[in-house]
Amino acid sequence: MILDSTFFLKGFIYFLDAFCLATLLAAVLVFTLRRFYFDSKKRVVYIDGKRAKTVGFFHPYANSCGGGEKVLWCAVQALQEIAEFQPIHCVIYTGDTCSSEEILETTKRILHIDIKPSFHLEFVRLSKRTWLEAFHYPHFTMLFQSLASMLVMLESLSQFIPDLLVDTTGLAFTYPVVKLFTSSRILSYTHYPTISTDMLHRVIHRETQFNNDAFITSHPILSLLKQFYYRVFAVFYGLAGRCADLVLANGSWTYNHLVSLWRQPHTLRRLSALRHHRASNARIPKLVKHDAKRQ
């Protein structure tokens, strides 16, 4: 018995040593990448001889012209108005392959939002956007899409690092990546949370839904495992969401779920993106101005 206890203790110590060493190596790797690679992507932009604040919008499907794109382009339009008084360089990270002119023309024709050629707008192209597509991941879709979003964000930051990163897609797992490798502030607009307590409720009560297959609901053990998966995912989703400096939620339902999951009500604001987009736009310049004080 004593030998078994000693063997177990030594094994635990070796595991702890290996874990600490791996953590240290990971920290060194992150520091090295940030110091010698990502810092070089922090480009200084001058407009009319003045240093411009850079605002990047992470929106891989910027040319889809749906509700989420309405939020994106309303925010860009607001920055266009602010740019009349202070220099702003706007960047949109997108996987669309059509030209910048075609994207702006489509936005004007369908969304009725006119972005003038004089506005400093740049499109950063993402070749790995397809990794976000759900059809690639028939199982553990949320997990793999979230991991893929982190890689797509790395691709974004490897091309341009802004002063303010605005996520208009609700991909919260990208926020730790931004915080680890850059000094950018993060503004998040979340239309619908990746996971919600409603989804967890369906799994617990074994209700067959689009995200809870009948094969799972008919097996108690599988339902229990999926419940564990959802709970663990919700914890990490909450940790990721807390990396945002300001969060705009689309309505009370989303707001309440984010408060429950992210547990940072002081960073959350309740907004309806389509009906009250002016209110959301008003918050963007405040973050930009606040960021100016930090430099």
Side-chain angles (χ1 to χ4, degrees), residues 35-61:
R35 178 66 181 84
F36 296 102
Y37 181 73
F38 285 100
D39 281 358
S40 66
K41 304 301 178 180
K42 181 75 174 180
R43 197 168 82 220
V44 179
V45 179
Y46 289 92
I47 299 176
D48 297 330
K50 297 180 180 179
R51 181 170 179 172
K53 304 308 298 181
T54 54
V55 181
F57 289 88
F58 183 71
H59 204 106
Y61 298 88

Side-chain angles (χ1 to χ4, degrees), residues 95-248:
D96 297 306
T97 56
C98 50
S99 68
S100 304
E101 292 75 16
E102 289 176 313
I103 294 176
L104 295 179
E105 193 280 328
T106 302
T107 301
K108 182 178 180 179
R109 176 169 47 85
I110 298 178
L111 299 180
H112 308 292
I113 296 175
D114 185 17
I115 305 301
K116 297 178 174 58
S118 58
F119 180 58
H120 281 254
L121 177 62
E122 175 184 352
F123 290 92
V124 171
R125 308 295 177 162
L126 304 175
S127 62
K128 297 178 176 59
R129 183 182 72 173
T130 183
W131 293 4
L132 299 173
E133 299 288 349
F135 71 85
H136 290 301
Y137 319 109
H139 305 291
F140 299 100
T141 308
M142 290 191 306
L143 173 62
F144 286 116
Q145 278 189 304
S146 297
L147 294 175
S149 71
M150 298 171 75
L151 296 176
V152 176
M153 177 57 77
L154 278 174
E155 182 189 13
S156 303
L157 298 177
S158 69
Q159 299 182 72
F160 189 94
I161 295 179
D163 297 316
L164 173 65
L165 193 287
V166 184
D167 169 42
T168 46
T169 60
L171 294 172
F173 279 84
T174 61
Y175 308 160
V177 174
V178 178
K179 287 298 184 183
L180 273 175
F181 295 108
T182 77
S183 58
S184 303
R185 294 172 65 79
I186 301 173
L187 169 60
S188 165
Y189 169 78
T190 302
H191 184 82
Y192 195 90
T194 304
I195 190 170
S196 66
T197 52
D198 292 350
M199 294 167 63
L200 186 58
H201 179 272
R202 296 189 194 106
V203 175
I204 293 174
H205 293 276
R206 298 167 64 183
E207 299 175 5
T208 302
Q209 292 285 344
F210 70 94
N211 65 324
N212 199 28
D213 192 83
F215 178 75
I216 300 292
T217 59
S218 61
H219 292 77
I221 300 299
L222 293 179
S223 292
L224 188 63
L225 290 174
K226 186 165 186 177
Q227 182 184 151
F228 175 75
Y229 161 54
Y230 269 32
R231 288 188 183 278
V232 172
F233 184 90
V235 169
F236 282 96
Y237 179 65
L239 293 173
R242 290 171 210 171
C243 293
D245 296 287
L246 179 65
V247 182
L248 309 180

Side-chain angles (χ1 to χ4, degrees), residues 24 54 62 127 250 275 295:
L24 178 62
T54 54
S127 62
N250 180 48
R275 294 171 57 190
Q295 296 190 356

